[in-house]
Amino acid sequence: MNINESAENYLETILILSKTLPVVRSVDIATELGFKKSSVSIAMKNLREKKYITVSEAGYITLTKSGKEIADMIYERHELFTSWLISLGVDEKTASEDACRMEHVISKESFEAIKNHIPNCQK
């Protein structure tokens, strides 16, 4: 699974929006991320071509199985790192921003080790 940070962020955003909105559209993603709709449209085309999302004729964006797997992985990392940093005394805003950077660069092996080490996170 070779995917860049930008694509991971888009997939994670689609996942998060799908939890609160009945449908996800490019305009929703653009609003959430503060990007131009044209930039989001290009990204959605790339994600669609790589089969990470489907886009209906009405413009509704849905994660495919492979897209959801990536989004779930990134979202889990973000949530764990954010809560871990907050528990260490980092303010919420900084913790979330740092987690956003950390979630993309850590190996699966290192993430699993951290996850298994942090109390209340064991499988």
Side-chain angles (χ1 to χ4, degrees), residues 3-118:
I3 183 168
N4 67 33
E5 181 177 331
S6 174
E8 288 176 345
N9 279 333
Y10 278 112
L11 294 172
E12 181 184 24
T13 300
I14 294 165
L15 176 70
I16 292 167
L17 289 173
S18 71
K19 293 174 185 280
T20 58
L21 299 175
V23 295
V24 178
R25 301 163 301 149
S26 288
V27 67
D28 302 317
I29 298 166
T31 301
E32 179 71 17
L33 296 175
F35 294 167
K36 293 180 183 176
K37 189 174 180 311
S38 58
S39 298
V40 173
S41 293
I42 292 167
M44 293 306 104
K45 179 180 182 273
N46 291 334
L47 291 174
R48 190 177 66 247
E49 288 173 354
K50 292 178 182 170
K51 310 241 186 285
Y52 292 127
I53 63 167
T54 58
V55 182
S56 73
E57 287 190 24
Y60 303 154
I61 299 165
T62 307
L63 295 167
T64 62
K65 183 179 179 198
S66 61
K68 185 164 183 339
E69 286 173 1
I70 294 167
D72 285 339
M73 174 191 70
I74 296 299
Y75 185 71
E76 177 188 26
R77 290 176 177 196
H78 184 90
E79 291 294 296
L80 182 125
F81 285 139
T82 300
S83 63
W84 182 42
L85 291 169
I86 290 169
S87 75
L88 295 173
V90 178
D91 72 89
E92 189 173 341
K93 182 177 184 297
T94 302
S96 183
E97 290 169 356
D98 288 347
C100 195
R101 288 189 288 280
M102 294 165 66
E103 68 196 25
H104 300 287
V105 297
I106 193 166
S107 70
K108 182 176 182 175
E109 179 183 1
S110 294
F111 178 73
E112 289 299 319
I114 291 169
K115 185 170 127 177
N116 291 327
H117 181 73
I118 297 173

